[in-house]
Amino acid sequence: MMTRANEVTPINSTLGTAVAASNVQRSFNGRDVLKGVNLTIKGDEFVALLGRSGTGKSTLLRILGGLDADYEGDVLVPQRRAVVFQESRLIPWQRVLANVVLGLGTGNGGRAALKARGLEALGEVGLAEHAHDWPLTLSGGESQRVALARALVREPQLMLLDEPFGALDALTRIKMHALLQRLCARHRPAVLLVTHDVDEAILLADRAVVLVEGEIALDTRIDVEHPRDRSDPAFVELRNRLLKELGVQEVDARPSLLHTASDVETEFNNRYKQSFR
Amino acid sequence: MSVIDLVTRKSSNEDEKSNSSDVITLTHPIPKRRRRTSLRVPRLVRRVVGPLIVLALWQWSCSAGVFTSFEVASPIAVIDAARELWNQGVLQSNLLISLRRVAEGLGVGVTVGVIFAVLSGLFRVGEDLVDPVIQAARAVPILGLVPLAIIWFGVGELPKIFLIALGSTFAIYINTFAGIRGVDTKLVEAGQTFGLSRWGLVRRIILPGALPSFLVGLRLALVGSWLIVIVAEEINAQSGIGYLIMQAQTTDRTDIMMMGLAIYAILGLLADALVRLLERRLLSWRRTFAGA
Ligand SMILES: Nc1ncnc2c1ncn2[C@@H]1O[C@H](COP(=O)(O)OP(=O)(O)O)[C@@H](O)[C@H]1O
Ligand SMILES: [Mg+2]
């Protein structure tokens, strides 16, 4: 149950590269899941990794996070990394603050300094007043914000996010997008965001990478102007391109039938969201 | 659905009013929880009501002559016997001795059980070496070991403590082991990614995660140890509550025998309350169903 954390070689940070992965392969029981993935991420780049369910997105992310040592190929990552999973994975028997500073040494400032650091990170996600609560009393969105704080407090050079908003409701997700953008603007880590939501990828990332059957099928810059708007023609065009790459056919829009927000949402789901969840 | 849609829908409904089977009638109010403000009985009171009823029935059946006083002593007779022995100083000293045996035996049993559970819970090699031995030993009836224990440890305190330890250790081992193996790997993985050392993982994640199961084991172990102490004291002892019971048999004092049993019952209740208290203190992070 306790596999030794993979000793991934730290990258020399002056190169300004946060991930250099070449020819990464991984198979489970003789079945090739990753078939030679090449991926380079620059020091402050925000990359979205898209792919249908089961294409190996999490597998790749776990390798980059040092959680899976049974891979082939070469992987270089910086020393300070942090992961946020789809489930918050907070330790239920540790208070929120203890969860945030989990595994951090007390350093030269001692306990008080560590506590202050944790509280500051919690403040950044707006949860300082929950520092002494038990994790199980938090809502799903709050838990994910704590998980973000736990990642940020380490000042990571590389943040690995595995569908961090996948289990949240639509409204909470919108708030989390804004929060993540704010935090990234301030801390400037390199980010690899695994998602199955094409709109989320286009809204947040500088670059989109599509994984199809264990290989990178598309790797494109996202040149939609900020602030990004779903109705921007560039947005729509890129969305169609990505969906096509994911093998999802978009039905002709029938705007005359859409009246309320919930109709739009339903239509959205019917057209493509559910098909590759 | 648009506003216009709603309006047209409404008018068409009016046309069909004659078709009464389609008209919804509101007949099912959703039951609400009744407010319990006036009749709020404290938990403790509710918990003693059951035993009190049993006591009352017991006293009544004795007074009504269902049993002779030789067969069954009434609660009042039992209390009188307790008072008599207390005044002689016999009750206190023997109770203390039994308590001490249980505490020592339980201490050894819990320690050994936890150590082996941690060894085989954390390490595959440990499991392969330890688990088969414990599973086999568990199948041996402890009371069958009484004569051997006397040969090995003589007639002093040691055989009794040995038997009590044995009677409590398996429940601790099995539950703690299951608890360790039941810790969510996702949490262990999270601990790893955030830089916990191996020992940090064990101390902060694995052992606390196994604590609920350990406490279940502790409850069973407490019951087991009281069970063993009475047998050990009845078979071979010059002191203890079990010894008092055996003595009472030779003098036909049913009231003292039943007093001994009542003491075990009360101690069992207290031990259970103690573990409940521990659970409340140690597992306050849990939000689980606590009964309606
Ligand atoms: N530990 C494992 N053992 C066996 N198969 C696995 C394991 N982890 C992942 N897989 C398989 O690898 C494939 C890719 O999984 P994953 O990376 O989780 O996909 P996703 O892109 O949805 O994140 C799936 O078919 C999954 O069943
Ligand atoms: Mg996944």
Side-chain angles (χ1 to χ4, degrees):
Chain A
M1 82 196 283
M2 291 192 298
T3 55
R4 180 183 292 276
N6 183 19
E7 300 295 333
V8 227
T9 324
I11 282 184
N12 180 355
S13 60
T14 53
L15 290 175
T17 308
V19 171
S22 61
N23 199 23
V24 176
Q25 298 170 40
R26 176 70 165 104
S27 56
F28 292 106
N29 314 318
R31 195 167 55 89
D32 294 336
V33 171
L34 297 179
K35 304 167 187 165
V37 170
N38 296 299
L39 181 66
T40 309
I41 299 178
K42 289 206 224 66
D44 60 354
E45 207 175 12
F46 193 133
V47 177
L49 177 62
L50 288 155
R52 287 177 182 242
S53 167
T55 45
K57 304 184 295 294
S58 297
T59 305
L60 180 59
L61 182 131
R62 289 169 52 81
I63 292 172
L64 298 183
L67 286 170
D68 179 359
D70 300 316
Y71 68 93
E72 305 289 325
D74 295 309
V75 177
L76 295 173
V77 291
Q79 197 187 5
R80 292 202 310 274
R81 317 180 291 272
V83 188
V84 177
F85 302 94
Q86 178 165 2
E87 339 77 47
S88 63
R89 301 204 187 182
L90 301 177
I91 315 298
W93 44 84
Q94 308 243 313
R95 308 262 177 187
V96 166
L97 180 59
N99 263 288
V100 170
V101 299
L102 184 76
L104 290 178
T106 39
N108 41 20
R111 255 170 209 288
L114 186 64
K115 191 177 164 188
R117 250 175 95 191
L119 281 174
E120 193 193 326
L122 276 173
E124 280 195 87
V125 297
L127 287 175
E129 73 273 27
H130 288 283
H132 300 290
D133 289 353
W134 294 118
L136 290 182
T137 62
L138 301 178
S139 72
E142 287 168 341
S143 300
Q144 281 310 69
R145 274 148 70 196
V146 174
L148 268 179
R150 180 170 65 176
L152 280 172
V153 77
R154 281 141 235 275
E155 288 164 16
Q157 295 151 314
L158 173 62
M159 278 243 278
L160 300 165
L161 311 174
D162 194 353
E163 306 196 18
F165 315 129
L168 303 180
D169 64 274
L171 292 179
T172 310
R173 204 177 309 154
I174 291 171
K175 284 191 188 166
M176 293 294 281
H177 288 163
L179 176 66
L180 182 62
Q181 277 175 317
R182 255 198 332 273
L183 295 172
C184 286
R186 191 174 318 154
H187 297 270
R188 299 245 121 242
V191 180
L192 180 66
L193 169 73
V194 167
T195 178
H196 55 231
D197 185 338
V198 174
D199 280 32
E200 182 171 278
I202 305 175
L203 276 174
L204 298 174
D206 306 320
R207 196 174 132 205
V209 174
V210 181
L211 197 61
V212 177
E213 299 189 350
E215 283 170 301
I216 290 182
L218 179 73
D219 186 339
T220 177
R221 290 201 53 76
I222 300 177
D223 287 319
V224 182
E225 261 176 57
H226 290 275
R228 287 175 179 166
D229 178 354
R230 287 174 212 255
S231 59
D232 184 328
F235 197 116
V236 175
E237 198 233 299
L238 183 56
R239 177 206 283 147
N240 288 339
R241 225 173 110 209
L242 292 172
L243 286 173
K244 199 170 157 218
E245 204 56 62
L246 291 164
V248 183
Q249 280 289 306
E250 196 171 14
V251 182
D252 275 359
R254 288 165 294 161
S256 59
L257 293 179
L258 307 178
H259 294 297
T260 65
S262 87
D263 274 344
V264 175
E265 172 103 50
T266 316
E267 186 67 17
F268 183 75
N269 285 338
N270 287 346
R271 265 193 279 163
Y272 54 84
K273 240 180 153 181
Q274 279 172 347
S275 46
F276 55 95
R277 214 165 236 179
Chain B
M1 170 189 311
S2 70
V3 177
I4 296 163
D5 263 357
L6 273 174
V7 173
T8 48
R9 191 65 70 78
K10 196 173 181 186
S11 59
S12 67
N13 246 2
E14 273 162 0
D15 296 341
E16 292 163 12
K17 240 183 187 160
S18 52
N19 189 355
S20 62
S21 68
D22 272 0
V23 175
I24 298 173
T25 51
L26 302 174
T27 53
H28 280 67
I30 303 291
K32 263 184 258 168
R33 183 194 294 280
R34 262 190 274 137
R35 290 269 195 90
R36 294 181 297 188
T37 40
S38 53
L39 251 171
R40 189 84 196 147
V41 186
R43 192 85 197 280
L44 189 69
V45 174
R46 282 189 298 171
R47 284 187 71 82
V48 296
V49 165
L52 281 180
I53 291 174
V54 173
L55 271 181
L57 282 175
W58 175 10
Q59 179 66 45
W60 169 83
S61 59
C62 292
S63 317
V66 180
F67 310 108
T68 67
S69 68
F70 175 64
E71 287 166 347
V72 177
S74 73
I76 290 174
V78 167
I79 291 170
D80 283 342
R83 195 176 295 143
E84 176 194 332
L85 291 184
W86 183 275
N87 290 337
Q88 295 168 8
V90 176
L91 182 55
Q92 303 91 303
S93 59
N94 285 290
L95 181 58
L96 268 180
I97 285 172
S98 289
L99 276 173
R100 210 176 126 191
R101 285 176 183 148
V102 166
E104 289 177 358
L106 201 61
V108 174
V110 170
T111 310
V112 171
V114 166
I115 288 174
F116 281 120
V118 168
L119 281 181
S120 58
L122 294 184
F123 309 105
R124 287 279 164 69
V125 189
E127 183 188 358
D128 293 344
L129 289 177
V130 171
D131 200 57
V133 178
I134 297 220
Q135 296 300 340
R138 192 166 74 100
V140 175
I142 292 168
L143 299 183
L145 278 172
V146 172
L148 271 179
I150 292 168
I151 292 177
W152 294 340
F153 302 109
V155 289
E157 291 300 287
L158 223 49
K160 297 173 191 73
I161 290 166
F162 168 76
L163 290 171
I164 295 166
L166 213 57
S168 56
T169 201
F170 298 122
I172 297 284
Y173 170 84
I174 286 170
N175 284 284
T176 310
F177 176 65
I180 289 174
R181 286 299 166 89
V183 172
D184 192 349
T185 22
K186 289 182 170 176
L187 295 182
V188 177
E189 226 176 60
Q192 277 176 329
T193 37
F194 293 115
L196 282 186
S197 62
R198 244 161 187 263
W199 168 239
L201 283 178
V202 170
R203 196 170 59 90
R204 308 279 292 274
I205 296 183
I206 296 175
L207 293 186
L211 192 60
S213 305
F214 165 79
L215 288 173
V216 171
L218 185 61
R219 259 190 198 187
L220 295 172
L222 274 166
V223 173
S225 59
W226 281 111
L227 207 77
I228 303 295
V229 78
I230 187 169
V231 175
E233 287 176 348
E234 281 181 3
I235 289 172
N236 178 268
Q238 308 304 315
S239 57
I241 299 293
Y243 168 74
L244 281 187
I245 294 176
M246 285 316 286
Q247 283 292 91
Q249 192 196 5
T250 59
T251 52
D252 288 345
R253 290 286 302 267
T254 312
D255 52 345
I256 296 184
M257 286 188 240
M258 294 189 67
M259 178 211 69
L261 297 180
I263 286 177
Y264 282 118
I266 291 168
L267 288 175
L269 211 62
L270 288 179
D272 196 61
L274 190 75
V275 179
R276 275 166 179 275
L277 190 75
L278 270 180
E279 279 183 350
R280 196 130 20 102
R281 295 293 301 274
L282 296 175
L283 307 182
S284 52
W285 52 269
R286 286 209 293 198
R287 277 206 321 181
T288 48
F289 181 64

